[in-house]
Amino acid sequence: MSRPRKVHVKSFGCQMNVYDSHRMADTLAPGGFHETAAPEDADLVILNTCHIREKAAEKVYSEIGRIRVMKEEAERQGRKILIAVAGCVAQAEGQEIMRRAGSVDLVVGSQNYHRLPELVARAASGEKIVDTEFPIEDKFEKLAAPRRDAIRARGISAFVTVQEGCDRFCTFCVVPYTRGAEVSRPLKQIVAEVERLAAAGVREITLIGQNVNAYHGLGEDGASSSLAKLLRRLARVSGICRLRYTTSHPRDMDDDLIAAHGELNALMPYVHLPVQSGSDRMLAAMNRRHTREDYLEVIARLRQARPDLAFTSDFIVGFPGETESDFRDTLSLIEHVGFASAYTFAYSPRPGTPAAEMENQIQDEEKSERLQRLQAAVTRQWRAFNASFAGRELDVLLEKSGKLPGQLVGRSSYLQSVQVMAPHSHIGSVARVIVTDIGSNSLFGALADNEAAPQLTAAGA
Ligand code: SAM
Ligand code: SF4
């Protein structure tokens, strides 16, 4: 075992990057790397980047600039800081990063994290490395499993990547190019990871993937398994009381997955289902391969299976050729569905994608104006959704101490942050909480009178 060194991993973008960042740290741990939250103390700084919108990539370059200053300061003191760029910007820009930012030592694409120990050792001896191949070997098989202490430090709610990449090729999206073709992990590998997390005290699992409901990993019976089958299997893992999944495509929402929402208590009544636009013309131009009606039908079927389901979505405004009338179709879809919340984006042309080459690009001012109107509509719905819980009882998974003495913070089934006065020993349990007040970012509540001592079933809790 070599001398202890420190690694700082900074994640940009989606939850898949947060998961990857954890796995990178886990993979470097056996080589003597400890995680640090302070980049200036680190021997290795990894920026795990996102390329989904233009601003995301620019943020990375300004972050590299900041780390370069620390690197130069450390060098003056006779200490070396290695800078690595990982994630989708690394995958998309490769050599270009080395050209624009000479302080970077290593560029590693999203499929190659299992090679990090070897790549970092080579970079430490002065080699400049760009490794953005899509290798054939199974990255997940080779990535180190998280250690028990690291799992505990990351809390009682964990993400698990079950599939990567995407074959849908929406015309605005870089994911099929940066993450490659859709690949699903074998069910057995996922179950083993979830059992390990549960044994260390994790109670809630969010299955993640760029198109998670396209999951079709090798099942225990040798045939391919659907996401519904995977969820049913994970609901049987002792200690896991909540399951979620994100992000889904409306076309991959099959009958079995819809039925699972009606059957599985552990499956939370909260679905993130991006629609992008309410206009059929835009949906066709985006190559979404579903219509507005198809989307509304999926929502109706899900609500039939589980009436208390809440929905969130992603919307893009200002896609090439979008007219005021198309945009109004989006607003009317929002009114029709009633979302608990939503992510809203102004269209950002991504090099190499078909939409970036379309001629009828929308002016920035028009995009901003529509974005504001969209955000106002979504905010109204989000406020109304939260307000509807005043005085009601909710199940809250208590996660950690709050800011005030004696206060705990947890999440409702609908992912709302809930603050409640409760004994520290309740952390890791699901409590019945009466909502007493609605804040701007959280709900406030009190333990229901009949709230018994916490029932902890997780093996390690
Ligand atoms: N796979 C998911 C789906 O099918 O919708 C989401 C993938 S993407 C990581 C997350 C969101 O970013 C998308 O749903 C979309 O709303 C937004 N997005 C992707 N590319 C974009 C672009 N070029 N401009 C603006 N927003 C974009
Ligand atoms: Fe991108 Fe999602 Fe479309 Fe795949 S389904 S191309 S990840 S937006």
mmCIF file of all heavy atoms in Angstrom, residues 108-134:
data_model
loop_
_atom_site.group_PDB
_atom_site.id
_atom_site.type_symbol
_atom_site.label_atom_id
_atom_site.label_comp_id
_atom_site.label_asym_id
_atom_site.label_seq_id
_atom_site.Cartn_x
_atom_site.Cartn_y
_atom_site.Cartn_z
ATOM 1 N N VAL A 108 -9.990 11.761 -19.198
ATOM 2 C CA VAL A 108 -10.471 10.378 -19.196
ATOM 3 C C VAL A 108 -11.967 10.333 -19.503
ATOM 4 O O VAL A 108 -12.768 10.998 -18.839
ATOM 5 C CB VAL A 108 -10.088 9.648 -17.872
ATOM 6 C CG1 VAL A 108 -10.529 10.393 -16.643
ATOM 7 C CG2 VAL A 108 -10.609 8.223 -17.834
ATOM 8 N N GLY A 109 -12.330 9.586 -20.534
ATOM 9 C CA GLY A 109 -13.725 9.507 -20.970
ATOM 10 C C GLY A 109 -14.574 8.673 -20.022
ATOM 11 O O GLY A 109 -14.055 7.918 -19.185
ATOM 12 N N SER A 110 -15.895 8.798 -20.191
ATOM 13 C CA SER A 110 -16.821 8.223 -19.207
ATOM 14 C C SER A 110 -16.814 6.696 -19.156
ATOM 15 O O SER A 110 -17.337 6.111 -18.212
ATOM 16 C CB SER A 110 -18.225 8.753 -19.472
ATOM 17 O OG SER A 110 -18.464 8.815 -20.854
ATOM 18 N N GLN A 111 -16.239 6.028 -20.152
ATOM 19 C CA GLN A 111 -16.234 4.560 -20.118
ATOM 20 C C GLN A 111 -14.941 3.986 -19.541
ATOM 21 O O GLN A 111 -14.751 2.778 -19.511
ATOM 22 C CB GLN A 111 -16.441 3.996 -21.533
ATOM 23 C CG GLN A 111 -17.779 4.351 -22.139
ATOM 24 C CD GLN A 111 -18.942 3.987 -21.226
ATOM 25 O OE1 GLN A 111 -18.983 2.912 -20.641
ATOM 26 N NE2 GLN A 111 -19.888 4.895 -21.077
ATOM 27 N N ASN A 112 -14.020 4.839 -19.093
ATOM 28 C CA ASN A 112 -12.678 4.345 -18.754
ATOM 29 C C ASN A 112 -12.263 4.563 -17.299
ATOM 30 O O ASN A 112 -11.077 4.491 -16.989
ATOM 31 C CB ASN A 112 -11.647 5.016 -19.677
ATOM 32 C CG ASN A 112 -11.975 4.755 -21.129
ATOM 33 O OD1 ASN A 112 -12.655 3.784 -21.446
ATOM 34 N ND2 ASN A 112 -11.542 5.614 -22.011
ATOM 35 N N TYR A 113 -13.250 4.812 -16.415
ATOM 36 C CA TYR A 113 -12.880 5.146 -15.038
ATOM 37 C C TYR A 113 -12.181 4.003 -14.310
ATOM 38 O O TYR A 113 -11.401 4.236 -13.397
ATOM 39 C CB TYR A 113 -14.116 5.586 -14.235
ATOM 40 C CG TYR A 113 -14.795 6.792 -14.825
ATOM 41 C CD1 TYR A 113 -16.167 6.980 -14.698
ATOM 42 C CD2 TYR A 113 -14.054 7.740 -15.518
ATOM 43 C CE1 TYR A 113 -16.772 8.086 -15.255
ATOM 44 C CE2 TYR A 113 -14.666 8.839 -16.084
ATOM 45 C CZ TYR A 113 -16.026 9.002 -15.952
ATOM 46 O OH TYR A 113 -16.621 10.092 -16.503
ATOM 47 N N HIS A 114 -12.477 2.772 -14.720
ATOM 48 C CA HIS A 114 -11.833 1.632 -14.046
ATOM 49 C C HIS A 114 -10.323 1.621 -14.297
ATOM 50 O O HIS A 114 -9.582 0.966 -13.598
ATOM 51 C CB HIS A 114 -12.470 0.322 -14.518
ATOM 52 C CG HIS A 114 -12.436 0.135 -16.007
ATOM 53 N ND1 HIS A 114 -13.146 0.939 -16.861
ATOM 54 C CD2 HIS A 114 -11.766 -0.739 -16.790
ATOM 55 C CE1 HIS A 114 -12.931 0.561 -18.111
ATOM 56 N NE2 HIS A 114 -12.094 -0.451 -18.085
ATOM 57 N N ARG A 115 -9.871 2.376 -15.325
ATOM 58 C CA ARG A 115 -8.427 2.408 -15.606
ATOM 59 C C ARG A 115 -7.720 3.514 -14.830
ATOM 60 O O ARG A 115 -6.527 3.743 -15.009
ATOM 61 C CB ARG A 115 -8.201 2.680 -17.102
ATOM 62 C CG ARG A 115 -8.683 1.598 -18.007
ATOM 63 C CD ARG A 115 -8.220 1.957 -19.418
ATOM 64 N NE ARG A 115 -8.832 1.121 -20.414
ATOM 65 C CZ ARG A 115 -9.006 1.480 -21.671
ATOM 66 N NH1 ARG A 115 -8.635 2.689 -22.075
ATOM 67 N NH2 ARG A 115 -9.546 0.667 -22.539
ATOM 68 N N LEU A 116 -8.463 4.260 -13.997
ATOM 69 C CA LEU A 116 -7.879 5.436 -13.346
ATOM 70 C C LEU A 116 -6.575 5.177 -12.585
ATOM 71 O O LEU A 116 -5.626 5.948 -12.728
ATOM 72 C CB LEU A 116 -8.901 6.080 -12.399
ATOM 73 C CG LEU A 116 -9.749 7.196 -12.998
ATOM 74 C CD1 LEU A 116 -10.812 7.637 -12.001
ATOM 75 C CD2 LEU A 116 -8.897 8.400 -13.400
ATOM 76 N N PRO A 117 -6.478 4.094 -11.765
ATOM 77 C CA PRO A 117 -5.231 3.914 -11.011
ATOM 78 C C PRO A 117 -4.005 3.901 -11.926
ATOM 79 O O PRO A 117 -3.007 4.580 -11.655
ATOM 80 C CB PRO A 117 -5.440 2.558 -10.316
ATOM 81 C CG PRO A 117 -6.930 2.445 -10.190
ATOM 82 C CD PRO A 117 -7.486 3.085 -11.421
ATOM 83 N N GLU A 118 -4.127 3.191 -13.046
ATOM 84 C CA GLU A 118 -2.994 3.101 -13.979
ATOM 85 C C GLU A 118 -2.753 4.465 -14.657
ATOM 86 O O GLU A 118 -1.620 4.936 -14.758
ATOM 87 C CB GLU A 118 -3.329 2.032 -15.031
ATOM 88 C CG GLU A 118 -2.332 1.913 -16.154
ATOM 89 C CD GLU A 118 -3.017 1.716 -17.506
ATOM 90 O OE1 GLU A 118 -4.063 1.037 -17.562
ATOM 91 O OE2 GLU A 118 -2.512 2.277 -18.516
ATOM 92 N N LEU A 119 -3.835 5.124 -15.079
ATOM 93 C CA LEU A 119 -3.696 6.401 -15.787
ATOM 94 C C LEU A 119 -3.092 7.473 -14.878
ATOM 95 O O LEU A 119 -2.240 8.260 -15.293
ATOM 96 C CB LEU A 119 -5.059 6.872 -16.317
ATOM 97 C CG LEU A 119 -5.733 5.942 -17.341
ATOM 98 C CD1 LEU A 119 -7.143 6.430 -17.661
ATOM 99 C CD2 LEU A 119 -4.910 5.872 -18.624
ATOM 100 N N VAL A 120 -3.532 7.477 -13.613
ATOM 101 C CA VAL A 120 -3.028 8.480 -12.659
ATOM 102 C C VAL A 120 -1.535 8.233 -12.401
ATOM 103 O O VAL A 120 -0.735 9.183 -12.347
ATOM 104 C CB VAL A 120 -3.842 8.441 -11.344
ATOM 105 C CG1 VAL A 120 -3.181 9.253 -10.248
ATOM 106 C CG2 VAL A 120 -5.261 8.958 -11.588
ATOM 107 N N ALA A 121 -1.137 6.961 -12.290
ATOM 108 C CA ALA A 121 0.285 6.646 -12.051
ATOM 109 C C ALA A 121 1.126 7.156 -13.226
ATOM 110 O O ALA A 121 2.189 7.749 -13.033
ATOM 111 C CB ALA A 121 0.455 5.134 -11.866
ATOM 112 N N ARG A 122 0.608 6.959 -14.449
ATOM 113 C CA ARG A 122 1.366 7.438 -15.625
ATOM 114 C C ARG A 122 1.423 8.960 -15.641
ATOM 115 O O ARG A 122 2.464 9.552 -15.925
ATOM 116 C CB ARG A 122 0.719 6.905 -16.906
ATOM 117 C CG ARG A 122 1.146 5.440 -17.183
ATOM 118 C CD ARG A 122 0.289 4.795 -18.244
ATOM 119 N NE ARG A 122 0.172 5.579 -19.456
ATOM 120 C CZ ARG A 122 -0.807 5.426 -20.365
ATOM 121 N NH1 ARG A 122 -1.750 4.500 -20.187
ATOM 122 N NH2 ARG A 122 -0.846 6.162 -21.442
ATOM 123 N N ALA A 123 0.313 9.604 -15.324
ATOM 124 C CA ALA A 123 0.285 11.079 -15.312
ATOM 125 C C ALA A 123 1.249 11.617 -14.248
ATOM 126 O O ALA A 123 1.908 12.636 -14.450
ATOM 127 C CB ALA A 123 -1.131 11.573 -15.061
ATOM 128 N N ALA A 124 1.350 10.897 -13.118
ATOM 129 C CA ALA A 124 2.232 11.348 -12.027
ATOM 130 C C ALA A 124 3.692 11.328 -12.467
ATOM 131 O O ALA A 124 4.512 12.090 -11.959
ATOM 132 C CB ALA A 124 2.039 10.464 -10.799
ATOM 133 N N SER A 125 3.993 10.454 -13.432
ATOM 134 C CA SER A 125 5.394 10.436 -13.878
ATOM 135 C C SER A 125 5.614 11.368 -15.075
ATOM 136 O O SER A 125 6.610 11.265 -15.791
ATOM 137 C CB SER A 125 5.843 9.006 -14.182
ATOM 138 O OG SER A 125 5.015 8.475 -15.177
ATOM 139 N N GLY A 126 4.652 12.265 -15.309
ATOM 140 C CA GLY A 126 4.889 13.350 -16.264
ATOM 141 C C GLY A 126 4.236 13.170 -17.625
ATOM 142 O O GLY A 126 4.301 14.068 -18.463
ATOM 143 N N GLU A 127 3.578 12.025 -17.853
ATOM 144 C CA GLU A 127 2.954 11.791 -19.164
ATOM 145 C C GLU A 127 1.643 12.587 -19.249
ATOM 146 O O GLU A 127 0.903 12.680 -18.264
ATOM 147 C CB GLU A 127 2.654 10.290 -19.281
ATOM 148 C CG GLU A 127 2.423 9.816 -20.687
ATOM 149 C CD GLU A 127 2.123 8.303 -20.720
ATOM 150 O OE1 GLU A 127 2.573 7.565 -19.825
ATOM 151 O OE2 GLU A 127 1.413 7.904 -21.620
ATOM 152 N N LYS A 128 1.367 13.193 -20.414
ATOM 153 C CA LYS A 128 0.055 13.837 -20.637
ATOM 154 C C LYS A 128 -0.817 12.806 -21.347
ATOM 155 O O LYS A 128 -0.421 12.274 -22.395
ATOM 156 C CB LYS A 128 0.213 15.064 -21.538
ATOM 157 C CG LYS A 128 0.978 16.201 -20.866
ATOM 158 C CD LYS A 128 0.022 17.147 -20.173
ATOM 159 C CE LYS A 128 0.772 18.307 -19.537
ATOM 160 N NZ LYS A 128 -0.079 19.182 -18.760
ATOM 161 N N ILE A 129 -2.001 12.508 -20.792
ATOM 162 C CA ILE A 129 -2.788 11.383 -21.306
ATOM 163 C C ILE A 129 -4.202 11.798 -21.697
ATOM 164 O O ILE A 129 -4.887 12.505 -20.940
ATOM 165 C CB ILE A 129 -2.897 10.270 -20.229
ATOM 166 C CG1 ILE A 129 -1.497 9.833 -19.792
ATOM 167 C CG2 ILE A 129 -3.695 9.075 -20.736
ATOM 168 C CD1 ILE A 129 -1.501 9.030 -18.518
ATOM 169 N N VAL A 130 -4.643 11.326 -22.865
ATOM 170 C CA VAL A 130 -6.046 11.466 -23.254
ATOM 171 C C VAL A 130 -6.561 10.050 -23.513
ATOM 172 O O VAL A 130 -6.076 9.369 -24.409
ATOM 173 C CB VAL A 130 -6.196 12.325 -24.529
ATOM 174 C CG1 VAL A 130 -7.655 12.375 -24.981
ATOM 175 C CG2 VAL A 130 -5.676 13.741 -24.287
ATOM 176 N N ASP A 131 -7.526 9.576 -22.703
ATOM 177 C CA ASP A 131 -8.055 8.223 -22.877
ATOM 178 C C ASP A 131 -9.580 8.310 -22.996
ATOM 179 O O ASP A 131 -10.301 8.357 -21.996
ATOM 180 C CB ASP A 131 -7.659 7.347 -21.678
ATOM 181 C CG ASP A 131 -8.085 5.892 -21.884
ATOM 182 O OD1 ASP A 131 -8.712 5.596 -22.919
ATOM 183 O OD2 ASP A 131 -7.796 5.060 -21.008
ATOM 184 N N THR A 132 -10.047 8.383 -24.251
ATOM 185 C CA THR A 132 -11.494 8.537 -24.468
ATOM 186 C C THR A 132 -12.047 7.439 -25.370
ATOM 187 O O THR A 132 -13.075 7.610 -26.013
ATOM 188 C CB THR A 132 -11.804 9.922 -25.089
ATOM 189 O OG1 THR A 132 -10.981 10.082 -26.238
ATOM 190 C CG2 THR A 132 -11.557 11.047 -24.129
ATOM 191 N N GLU A 133 -11.352 6.302 -25.432
ATOM 192 C CA GLU A 133 -11.854 5.158 -26.209
ATOM 193 C C GLU A 133 -13.116 4.611 -25.549
ATOM 194 O O GLU A 133 -13.323 4.794 -24.355
ATOM 195 C CB GLU A 133 -10.813 4.028 -26.212
ATOM 196 C CG GLU A 133 -9.488 4.387 -26.854
ATOM 197 C CD GLU A 133 -9.645 4.585 -28.338
ATOM 198 O OE1 GLU A 133 -10.075 3.629 -28.992
ATOM 199 O OE2 GLU A 133 -9.368 5.701 -28.829
ATOM 200 N N PHE A 134 -13.951 3.910 -26.321
ATOM 201 C CA PHE A 134 -15.043 3.143 -25.714
ATOM 202 C C PHE A 134 -14.571 1.691 -25.644
ATOM 203 O O PHE A 134 -14.637 0.976 -26.642
ATOM 204 C CB PHE A 134 -16.314 3.218 -26.574
ATOM 205 C CG PHE A 134 -17.096 4.491 -26.373
ATOM 206 C CD1 PHE A 134 -17.028 5.526 -27.288
ATOM 207 C CD2 PHE A 134 -17.897 4.654 -25.260
ATOM 208 C CE1 PHE A 134 -17.746 6.697 -27.102
ATOM 209 C CE2 PHE A 134 -18.624 5.824 -25.065
ATOM 210 C CZ PHE A 134 -18.545 6.847 -25.987
#
